[in-house]
């Protein structure tokens, strides 16, 4: 029962907020500062800052001679001014406190040049609890704001930063949405802290989801009474592709089991002040076919390679090549090809399984399948450019994102492996495989002469030498290397092992014979 109780308090991962900035806000405890006094903004807004016990002032009077006075507000909230006496300034804004001090000095002195500055900021004591990494009472500078303290201390992963509670010393309560300050620079959501403030960062419990065509989609903390318009503002507003005629809100019914859909235009949701509920899922869909490009690319030996617009289902291969200026002289129509990625799945579970099996443990069928898949040119369209452009047959209707590769003519045969001089050799229509090997200096001394293979340039197919009907430009002749002979030491060890086993068998046989006599 205890286990079930603990498990029920864990926030499920799918309910965790996932909007942009969340990872930045929820800082890791290892990166936090150890300073007792948090970093605060450099200046003080005299229209907002409330002075109190501990604040220090410097008063300067320019008359016949310059007079400078220092004064500090005492615990009773009174400021002792030389030759004037006590005046109460605690609780006033800094601006009002300065005006009162100037007025008091103006009554005593004739100087009109009276300057009052805040020379020292007091420290105050607050308390922070809940889902923060540094809990307890803290002494901070009086011009510290909520964001300064919380970001310096760090949050736990389940902190609810959109419903932070601040309870003042007199019992007043307000809720702060820190994300509104971070996203919208709403300074009302980043207040100055006051003496005795109690800050509670609650644990995440309720969420809403906003997905689709908005700038910052994701799962957000739910705020009581929040409207759709307010959440949309936090999420950065709509993207240009958003379909505003119908926004879908998927909401749980009162039984907390049944989900219903509410479909409204964006205008109605915004103008009616549509209020959100816990676990609402809002979907902003894209405009149909919005800015959908029908583009193919042509690479290689055409006059003007690059992207070209097509009418999908209409434009043919024979029409798009002339738009690119036609073939260059070095283009090989025989070896040119098209790659079509649309609708192509790259995952083959059988291929992935076989790849991790050692060769010695594969069946012959598995090994053949591995070789075939490894040589496969994924997405390649079977089409003969020569038939399309010379015979005017077998034309292909293009689809968007097709890639057309017009390759260079290969007027050579390539020899790799154990030839004396491997490399590219000029193509001769009447030459056989052995003719090309002789042109390359013949077989090298470690060549496996009976296992020569031909790799067809156009298809990648491997063919045994005696089964080749005709070589073509771009084909490759591969001469494998003979396997390395076993090393003497390995042979010696194996021989000793066999002899030892044989001796054991003989000894056992002799022992059996003797025992039976």
């Amino acid at each position: 029962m205890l286990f079930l109780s603990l498990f029920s308090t864990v926030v499920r991962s799918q309910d965790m907020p996932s909007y942009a900035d969340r990872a930045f806000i929820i800082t890791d405890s290892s990166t936090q500062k150890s300073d007792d006094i948090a970093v605060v903004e450099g200046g003080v807004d005299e229209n907002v800052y409330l002075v109190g016990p501990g604040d220090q002032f410097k008063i300067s009077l320019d008359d016949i001679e310059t007079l400078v006075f220092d004064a500090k507000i005492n615990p009773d909230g009174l400021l002792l001014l030389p030759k004037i006496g006590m005046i109460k300034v605690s609780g006033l804004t800094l601006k009002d406190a300065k005006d009162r001090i100037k007025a008091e000095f103006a009554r005593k002195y004739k100087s009109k040049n009276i300057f009052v500055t805040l020379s020292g900021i007091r420290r105050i004591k607050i308390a922070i609890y809940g889902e923060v990494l540094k809990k307890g009472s803290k002494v901070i500078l009086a011009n510290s704001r909520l964001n300064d303290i919380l970001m310096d201390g760090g949050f736990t992963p389940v902190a609810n930063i959109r419903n932070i509670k601040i309870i003042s010393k007199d019992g007043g309560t307000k809720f702060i949405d820190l994300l509104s300050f971070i996203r919208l620079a709403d300074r009302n959501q980043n207040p100055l802290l006051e003496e005795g403030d109690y800050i509670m960062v609650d644990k995440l419990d309720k969420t809403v989801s906003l997905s689709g065509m908005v700038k910052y989609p994701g799962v957000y903390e739910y705020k009581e009474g929040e409207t759709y318009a307010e959440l949309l503002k936090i999420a950065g507003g709509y993207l240009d592709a958003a379909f505003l005629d119908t926004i879908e809100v998927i909401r749980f019914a009162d039984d907390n089991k049944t989900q219903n859909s509410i479909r409204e235009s964006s205008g109605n949701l915004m103008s009616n002040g549509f209020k959100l509920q816990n676990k609402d899922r809002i979907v902003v869909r894209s405009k149909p076919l919005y800015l959908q490009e029908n583009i193919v690319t042509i690479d290689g030996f055409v006059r003007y390679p690059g992207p070209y617009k097509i009418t999908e289902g209409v434009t043919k291969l024979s029409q798009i090549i002339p738009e690119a200026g036609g073939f260059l002289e070095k283009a090989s129509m025989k070896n040119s090809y098209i790659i079509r990625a649309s609708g192509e799945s790259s995952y083959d579970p059988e291929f992935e399984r076989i790849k991790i099996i050692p060769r010695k443990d594969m069946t012959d069928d598995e090994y053949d399948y591995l070789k075939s898949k490894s040589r496969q040119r994924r997405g390649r369209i079977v089409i003969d450019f020569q038939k399309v452009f010379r015979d005017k047959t077998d034309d292909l209707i293009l689809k968007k994102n097709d890639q057309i590769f017009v390759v260079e003519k290969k007027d050579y045969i390539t020899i790799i492996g154990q030839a004396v001089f491997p490399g590219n050799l000029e193509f001769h229509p009447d030459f056989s495989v052995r003719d090309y090997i002789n042109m390359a200096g013949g077989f090298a001394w470690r060549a496996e002469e009976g296992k020569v293979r031909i790799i067809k340039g156009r298809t990648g197919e491997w063919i045994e030498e005696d089964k080749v009907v005709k070589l073509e430009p771009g084909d490759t002749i591969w001469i494998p290397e003979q396997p390395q002979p076993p090393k003497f030491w390995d042979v010696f060890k194996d021989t000793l092992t066999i002899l030892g086993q044989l001796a054991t068998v003989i000894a056992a046989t002799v022992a059996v014979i003797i025992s039976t006599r």
Side-chain angles (χ1 to χ4, degrees), residues 47-206:
N47 294 306
V48 177
Y49 183 78
L50 300 178
V51 299
D55 282 330
Q56 301 174 36
F57 292 87
K58 189 176 288 292
I59 304 103
S60 175
L61 285 76
D62 283 344
D63 203 349
I64 298 173
E65 60 178 329
T66 300
L67 300 176
V68 179
F69 304 99
D70 290 311
K72 182 178 181 180
I73 302 176
N74 67 21
D76 293 329
L78 302 174
L79 188 66
L80 176 60
L81 301 178
K83 299 183 181 182
I84 293 176
M86 294 285 192
I87 63 171
K88 186 170 181 60
V89 293
S90 183
L92 299 178
T93 65
L94 178 57
K95 183 179 185 307
D96 291 341
K98 287 180 177 181
D99 290 342
R100 179 172 292 185
I101 293 169
K102 288 179 181 179
E104 293 295 333
F105 271 94
R107 282 197 293 269
K108 180 69 176 178
Y109 297 92
K110 295 180 180 180
S111 175
K112 294 182 179 180
N113 298 321
I114 303 172
F115 303 98
V116 181
T117 60
L118 183 67
S119 60
I121 299 173
R122 71 187 187 281
R123 296 183 180 184
I124 60 175
K125 189 174 183 179
I126 62 168
I128 304 178
Y129 289 94
E131 298 301 321
V132 291
L133 299 177
K134 295 181 180 180
K135 299 179 176 68
S137 297
K138 297 183 184 296
V139 176
I140 61 174
L141 295 173
N143 65 333
S144 300
R145 292 185 178 271
L146 178 65
N147 180 65
D148 301 325
I149 304 306
L150 292 178
M151 292 298 288
D152 180 66
F155 298 96
T156 69
V158 294
N160 186 342
I161 67 167
R162 298 197 65 210
N163 292 277
I164 298 171
K165 184 190 295 184
I166 300 180
I167 303 174
S168 64
K169 188 166 56 175
D170 60 9
T173 301
K174 55 186 174 184
F175 288 89
I176 299 299
D177 180 359
L178 194 60
L179 185 60
S180 289
F181 168 69
I182 294 170
R183 285 271 179 88
L184 307 175
D186 183 355
R187 294 191 176 274
N188 292 325
Q189 303 302 317
N190 186 31
L192 284 169
L193 298 175
E194 299 178 8
E195 175 70 38
D197 276 351
Y198 176 92
I199 303 167
M200 168 56 69
V201 180
D202 205 355
K203 190 172 187 176
L204 179 68
D205 180 32
K206 300 178 180 181

Side-chain angles (χ1 to χ4, degrees), residues 183-356:
R183 285 271 179 88
L184 307 175
D186 183 355
R187 294 191 176 274
N188 292 325
Q189 303 302 317
N190 186 31
L192 284 169
L193 298 175
E194 299 178 8
E195 175 70 38
D197 276 351
Y198 176 92
I199 303 167
M200 168 56 69
V201 180
D202 205 355
K203 190 172 187 176
L204 179 68
D205 180 32
K206 300 178 180 181
T207 58
V208 293
S209 168
L210 180 58
S211 62
M213 297 293 104
V214 294
K215 289 183 180 177
Y216 301 109
V219 179
Y220 286 82
E221 298 93 333
Y222 168 71
K223 284 180 60 179
E224 193 72 35
E226 185 173 40
T227 66
Y228 171 71
E230 291 169 338
L231 179 62
L232 180 65
K233 189 176 181 181
I234 284 285
Y238 295 116
L239 295 176
D240 190 52
F243 181 66
L244 305 184
D245 289 355
T246 304
I247 308 295
E248 183 177 10
V249 181
I250 304 171
R251 172 172 290 179
F252 279 98
D254 293 338
D255 62 3
N256 295 323
K257 296 178 181 179
T258 307
Q259 284 185 296
N260 300 314
S261 287
I262 301 170
R263 293 181 174 87
E264 287 282 356
S265 69
S266 173
N268 287 343
L269 291 177
M270 303 283 273
S271 61
N272 296 336
F274 183 84
K275 289 190 176 182
L276 303 176
Q277 293 183 10
N278 180 33
K279 292 300 182 289
D280 275 355
R281 181 182 292 273
I282 306 158
V283 183
V284 181
R285 293 186 169 84
S286 175
K287 297 172 185 174
L289 302 177
Y290 179 74
L291 297 179
Q292 181 174 304
E293 292 187 319
N294 290 318
I295 299 293
V296 299
T297 57
I298 305 177
D299 290 325
F301 287 79
V302 292
R303 191 169 298 278
Y304 307 111
Y308 286 87
K309 180 191 74 67
I310 65 168
T311 302
E312 190 162 10
V314 175
T315 305
K316 297 182 178 180
L317 176 62
S318 61
Q319 297 170 317
I320 205 69
I321 294 295
E323 285 193 36
F327 295 106
L328 295 179
E329 184 179 349
K330 292 185 177 181
S332 170
M333 284 192 288
K334 184 175 183 179
N335 293 316
S336 295
Y337 60 95
I338 297 174
I339 297 294
R340 178 169 292 170
S342 59
E344 180 80 13
S345 175
S346 61
Y347 182 72
D348 182 344
E350 183 66 9
F351 181 57
E352 297 299 323
R353 180 187 71 83
I354 295 175
K355 279 198 305 185
I356 61 175

Side-chain angles (χ1 to χ4, degrees), residues 432-443:
S432 66
V433 173
R434 294 290 167 149
D435 290 334
Y436 286 109
I437 293 175
N438 291 332
M439 284 182 66
F443 290 104

